[in-house]
Amino acid sequence: MQLAICTDVFADLSYTDMLDKVKSLGIDAVEMTAGGWGAQKHCHTQELLAAPKKLADFQAELTKRGMRISALNTSCNPLWPSETGRQYEKSMYACVDLAEKLGVKKIVAMAGLPAGSPKDVTPNWIVSTISWPDFMAPSYDYQWEVTIAFWKKFAAYAKEHHIEQIAIEEFPGTMVWSAETMLKLREATDPIIGINLDPSHMMILGADPIAAARALEGCIFHVHGKDARIERGLADTNGLLEPRPVTDSKHRVWNYVAVGCGKDLQWWKEFFSVLSMMGYHGDVSLEMEDLTMSVDAGVNTSIDALRQTISQ
């Protein structure tokens, strides 16, 4: 496995300054947002698609530093029945077009979340039993129909444009938020679809990412190096569901934290060891979203922990 980094953490830097910063950290692979709701500060997709010279210059900056693109990220909700959702969908297809021109074979995305019925416009994440009220089961079935139809079409387009892997991040508030929902989508669509296994999202829902890695053998396409901490005392009282804004770290029952500040290094060693046993030998892309410390502190803390634990 090799260490990569999600570059949105350096959104305040220009493209070339970001590459220099990443290189100075001893990292040669970058995951950049090229669609969806990410910052897209370093990868201006439409501009690069429209101007071959800018595209060539973009690639040249990577080449002269001996760097590569780990994946292009286009995470968003293309299933939202709104103009915003339609723009998200367009940006995802544009991301595929750009990946083809750059020779990037993998994109990272999220499954999205539809509304609860054809007449609704508000996405609904159904996480309680569908046994009652009576409308819950039809709504859930409808959401899966919409989700599967979208991803069948998108997977076909991606394959036509030489994409080999679509790594869907299991994210709370989307249709794919667990190992089981990942496998359901994959089995209903196309083997080009697999998971971007982000352990932090499983941690906050009470799942075990190590057990999930075993269940997902053969369809782990990408891994985010990201940690989370269940806050003692608060979660014991209120459970794990947490609607507060991420900026309210003090009162949240869980927080995203730098790697090693949630699970200890022994846990991370086991996680990467099991990933290796399951056949994953790709990139571990650091995604730093710890708001309890500075960006540099969070990045350096995480890199130190990952370098001590990833299986190489």
Side-chain angles (χ1 to χ4, degrees):
M1 300 177 198
Q2 291 183 291
L3 187 57
I5 191 166
C6 301
T7 66
D8 274 5
V9 70
F10 298 131
D12 59 330
L13 300 179
S14 69
Y15 174 58
T16 53
D17 286 346
M18 176 275 292
L19 292 180
D20 289 339
K21 174 72 172 181
V22 172
K23 191 72 176 180
S24 74
L25 295 169
I27 298 174
D28 295 326
V30 289
E31 177 185 335
M32 292 183 285
T33 51
W37 55 42
Q40 297 180 55
K41 178 67 182 292
H42 306 123
C43 187
H44 305 290
T45 300
Q46 294 298 339
E47 185 178 294
L48 294 174
L49 288 173
K53 175 63 165 58
K54 289 184 178 180
L55 183 66
D57 291 344
F58 179 87
Q59 290 176 298
E61 294 294 343
L62 286 161
T63 301
K64 74 182 185 181
R65 292 172 175 81
M67 300 179 72
R68 62 183 173 85
I69 297 174
S70 172
L72 292 181
N73 191 310
T74 182
S75 296
C76 60
N77 184 9
L79 307 182
W80 181 11
S82 65
E83 180 57 32
T84 301
R86 287 185 285 273
Q87 291 302 317
Y88 285 155
E89 180 179 0
K90 289 180 181 178
S91 77
M92 290 179 65
Y93 279 87
C95 178
V96 169
D97 295 338
L98 180 61
E100 180 181 33
K101 289 184 178 296
L102 291 169
V104 175
K105 302 299 183 182
K106 177 170 62 181
I107 62 172
V108 174
M110 291 180 184
L113 182 66
S117 77
K119 296 180 180 180
D120 195 0
V121 295
T122 303
N124 290 270
W125 191 36
I126 298 174
V127 291
S128 61
T129 179
I130 60 172
S131 297
W132 65 82
D134 292 343
F135 64 80
M136 295 294 276
S139 292
Y140 194 62
D141 290 342
Y142 167 76
Q143 288 183 311
W144 272 110
E145 290 172 8
V146 171
T147 303
I148 289 167
F150 173 87
W151 284 103
K152 279 184 175 179
K153 180 181 176 183
F154 187 79
Y157 185 83
K159 289 166 71 174
E160 290 172 2
H161 292 266
H162 308 294
I163 301 301
E164 296 177 357
Q165 294 181 325
I166 301 172
I168 294 184
E169 185 171 339
E170 82 306 348
F171 188 70
T174 71
M175 294 301 290
V176 170
W177 51 270
S178 64
E180 183 176 319
T181 52
M182 173 72 256
L183 293 171
K184 179 174 182 173
L185 181 62
R186 177 180 168 87
E187 290 166 6
T189 54
D190 194 291
I192 193 177
I193 290 177
I195 194 168
N196 166 32
L197 180 52
D198 186 322
S200 69
H201 301 320
M202 292 185 172
M203 294 172 191
I204 66 174
L205 294 177
D208 179 359
I210 296 173
R214 290 185 178 275
L216 291 162
E217 181 181 6
C219 60
I220 302 172
F221 290 171
H222 197 66
V223 172
H224 272 175
K226 186 176 170 189
D227 206 346
R229 183 174 61 236
I230 308 300
E231 302 295 358
R232 62 183 69 191
L234 299 179
D236 297 328
T237 301
N238 294 321
L240 297 178
L241 298 180
E242 181 52 271
R244 291 180 181 84
V246 293
T247 51
D248 190 12
S249 304
K250 179 180 177 180
H251 299 107
R252 288 174 56 84
V253 299
W254 59 262
N255 287 292
Y256 295 126
V257 292
V259 179
C261 295
K263 298 292 188 180
D264 62 23
L265 297 192
Q266 179 61 36
W267 185 94
W268 283 97
K269 288 177 182 178
E270 182 181 356
F271 175 63
F272 291 126
S273 177
V274 170
L275 282 176
S276 181
M277 286 191 286
M278 295 304 106
Y280 184 77
H281 306 293
D283 291 322
V284 177
S285 190
L286 167 60
E287 187 176 30
M288 212 299 288
E289 295 182 0
D290 191 329
L291 301 183
T292 71
M293 60 180 75
S294 69
V295 167
D296 282 344
V299 167
N300 291 331
T301 297
S302 297
I303 289 174
D304 181 57
L306 290 170
R307 285 207 169 113
Q308 292 182 68
T309 55
I310 63 174
S311 300
Q312 299 184 32

